[in-house]
Amino acid sequence: MANPETYILDLNGKTRPPRSSLAETVVHDIDWFNASRASKRRFDPVLGIKGVVIHATAGSTSGGALQHWRTAANASAHWIVPAEREAEHGRKVIASVYEARAARHVRDDKSNRAINGGAALINHWTLGIEIVNRQDLDNYTDTYSDWQVQATADIVRYCWAKYPNLRWVFSHASVDPSRRADPGRQFPWTEFAGLVTAATAPPAPLPLVSPVPDDDEMADDSRQPCCG
Ligand SMILES: [Zn+2]
């Protein structure tokens, strides 16, 4: 298992996927989240987006994470990826902050020189994804489902297609290693990065066309029963 501090994917030079839509459900109080758990972006909300940060909730459910943000922590993220034990798993991700607003998922003074030139104010130039996972760092018993990994990659591909300057995909641990280890050693970063950068499906092959018969075959056609 890899060190989550090394989870950094640089998309520079890689082929951007086509525009896509997300299967997402929006929390009923998203307006409250936008007002109380998010901020006006300090950079252009489209051209200023440079990255996506991958987190894990350290809890068991999406509802638990949302309730923690509502009541205990001045924190938020743009999306939550539900776990196997939840009804949304396998169907849709949960949106809790508008993309145009800066969610609160990384401390303002954190940075990494290897990511976006070491720029701070990471919330203002990124989108944040929280994957529901207990983050039981002593024994790693809560593994990520294949759907969670694919759904997270799908969100990143959606963002990559939409934001022309998006280049960096990185773990919370990579920018705040003294405080955070998420999404943890059990997150399959290499597989995830492969899903993000996977080549899109090649164009469908041309339909098969019947070969034009040569003259001899044309002559032979006279012996065939004909159509009516
Ligand atoms: Zn985090």
Side-chain angles (χ1 to χ4, degrees):
M1 291 191 282
N3 180 350
E5 295 173 25
T6 67
Y7 294 172
I8 302 169
L9 171 60
D10 182 355
L11 297 172
N12 188 36
K14 303 213 162 35
T15 303
R16 196 175 287 269
R19 287 291 287 265
S20 58
S21 58
L22 284 179
E24 63 179 4
T25 183
V26 177
V27 294
H28 67 88
D29 53 351
I30 192 167
D31 288 336
W32 181 87
F33 270 97
N34 281 305
S36 303
R37 294 291 183 268
S39 310
K40 178 176 165 55
R41 288 193 182 277
R42 299 197 191 184
F43 310 111
D44 185 277
V46 174
L47 299 180
I49 298 294
K50 305 288 180 65
V52 180
V53 186
I54 309 299
H55 299 262
T57 59
S60 297
T61 64
S62 305
L66 288 163
Q67 200 57 21
H68 181 66
W69 295 341
R70 289 183 185 109
T71 59
N74 184 5
S76 62
H78 295 91
W79 292 281
I80 301 175
V81 179
E84 298 96 312
R85 59 190 77 88
E86 302 184 83
E88 297 90 345
H89 182 267
R91 298 170 50 231
K92 50 183 69 173
V93 299
I94 297 167
S96 50
V97 172
Y98 293 137
E99 295 164 43
R101 301 277 286 172
R104 296 172 186 166
H105 50 103
V106 178
R107 289 197 172 180
D108 280 346
D109 60 342
K110 302 302 177 186
S111 64
N112 181 328
R113 276 178 294 177
I115 301 169
N116 193 22
L121 297 176
I122 288 174
N123 291 327
H124 289 271
W125 52 267
T126 61
L127 294 139
I129 304 172
E130 290 272 1
I131 313 170
V132 176
N133 185 278
R134 283 197 296 271
Q135 287 294 287
D136 47 349
L137 298 178
D138 292 333
N139 49 21
Y140 308 109
T141 55
D142 190 10
T143 55
Y144 290 89
S145 74
D146 290 346
W147 181 81
Q148 284 184 301
V149 177
Q150 182 68 60
T152 307
D154 288 346
I155 298 173
V156 173
R157 287 171 69 86
Y158 158 85
C159 296
W160 188 15
K162 182 171 181 178
Y163 296 99
N165 295 319
L166 195 152
R167 172 173 171 180
W168 302 99
V169 185
F170 53 99
S171 65
H172 195 181
S174 71
V175 290
D176 195 358
S178 67
R179 296 179 57 252
R180 292 289 185 263
D182 60 315
R185 290 180 177 276
Q186 74 275 45
F187 185 78
W189 184 263
T190 302
E191 176 193 343
F192 164 74
L195 293 171
V196 169
T197 58
T200 51
L206 292 171
L208 287 173
V209 176
S210 301
V212 177
D214 61 30
D215 288 341
D216 290 338
E217 285 174 328
M218 292 285 273
D220 286 343
D221 278 348
S222 61
R223 297 179 307 197
Q224 301 296 320
C226 194
C227 39

